[in-house]
Amino acid sequence: MSKYLDIRPAKTPDINAINDIYNHYVINSICTFQTEPETVESRTAWFEAHGERYPVFVAEIDGEVVGWASLSKYHPGSSAWHTVEDSVYIRHDMTGKGIGKVLLMNLILEARCLGYHSIMAGIASDQIASLKLHEDFGFMEAGHLREIGYKLDRWIDVKLLQLLL
Ligand SMILES: CC(C)(COP(=O)(O)OP(=O)(O)OC[C@H]1O[C@@H](n2cnc3c(N)ncnc32)[C@H](O)[C@@H]1OP(=O)(O)O)[C@@H](O)C(=O)NCCC(=O)NCCS
């Protein structure tokens, strides 16, 4: 049976799936520096704080959420920034199938529609898939922060990538 990939704005019932996808990486990966799983309560607050200017999308295959992506404030607390930060997380058993590419493309189009000037991404320097994904869409290195994080028993560099829209 053929499977259909759908990208749509996230809704409240998606919060658990979004959180489960993310928490896998909290425990197992350095792609996020978070070390304690996100609670459903804090994920709900995050979702409610996003709204129209900071959209959250999910990728769904045959009704099942298999990934999500969002635009977030780059510097919370300041309204002068015309830059947003992206997040893209694919369910761990569904990576490498092109879903990240579709979600990021959708996010870039949405950022343009919303009038933002640039998108930032902070990516651990050995996260090859994420770096490649962003570079394929024209993100350029804007900085390299050395040994700024420590997780899973090692120091981690972070590359800042930026796409001017
Ligand atoms: C990074 C991530 C979002 C990419 O999404 P994905 O659906 O797995 O990636 P895609 O299948 O769309 O592939 C996108 C590009 O990344 C590259 N890529 C994907 N997986 C790769 C891997 N394991 N190794 C090297 N490159 C890889 C490919 O070059 C691909 O482009 P191509 O098909 O034109 O060659 C996803 O793997 C993920 O959620 N990883 C963990 C969380 C994370 O790091 N998120 C980013 C932080 S914001």
Side-chain angles (χ1 to χ4, degrees):
M1 200 175 77
S2 53
K3 293 186 177 291
Y4 295 97
L5 174 66
D6 185 28
I7 307 292
R8 62 163 174 79
K11 296 183 281 203
T12 305
D14 301 319
I15 288 173
N16 279 328
I18 288 170
N19 211 34
D20 289 348
I21 289 168
Y22 179 75
N23 278 338
H24 170 86
Y25 294 108
V26 170
I27 304 298
N28 297 294
S29 171
I30 56 146
C31 66
T32 165
F33 282 172
Q34 191 165 333
T35 53
E36 295 297 323
E38 187 85 16
T39 63
V40 173
E41 290 72 26
S42 59
R43 179 58 71 188
T44 303
W46 169 91
F47 181 70
E48 286 168 356
H50 267 68
E52 267 179 33
R53 297 265 327 141
Y54 301 97
V56 183
F57 294 95
V58 292
E60 208 176 46
I61 293 182
D62 291 348
E64 205 177 339
V65 174
V66 292
W68 61 271
S70 64
L71 295 175
S72 300
K73 281 187 183 179
Y74 186 56
H75 269 260
S78 166
S79 56
W81 292 82
H82 294 260
T83 289
V84 278
E85 182 165 19
D86 77 52
S87 299
V88 186
Y89 286 88
I90 308 303
R91 204 174 74 192
H92 67 94
D93 57 341
M94 293 297 283
T95 58
K97 298 179 189 295
I99 302 168
K101 216 183 283 183
V102 179
L103 272 169
L104 185 55
M105 185 177 67
N106 183 75
L107 219 47
I108 293 168
L109 291 173
E110 192 67 18
R112 286 204 175 104
C113 290
L114 288 165
Y116 290 117
H117 188 62
S118 82
I119 307 179
M120 297 296 298
I123 302 171
S125 64
D126 63 357
Q127 295 294 293
I128 304 302
S130 185
L131 290 170
K132 176 78 167 47
L133 173 67
H134 284 80
E135 285 163 2
D136 283 353
F137 281 102
F139 281 74
M140 310 248 300
E141 190 169 323
H144 187 129
L145 311 177
R146 297 187 192 282
E147 301 188 358
I148 195 164
Y150 190 89
K151 188 176 176 186
L152 300 179
D153 300 324
R154 61 192 175 92
W155 289 105
I156 301 153
D157 286 10
V158 168
K159 288 187 185 221
L160 298 178
L161 269 62
Q162 183 177 29
L163 178 70
L164 288 175
L165 296 167

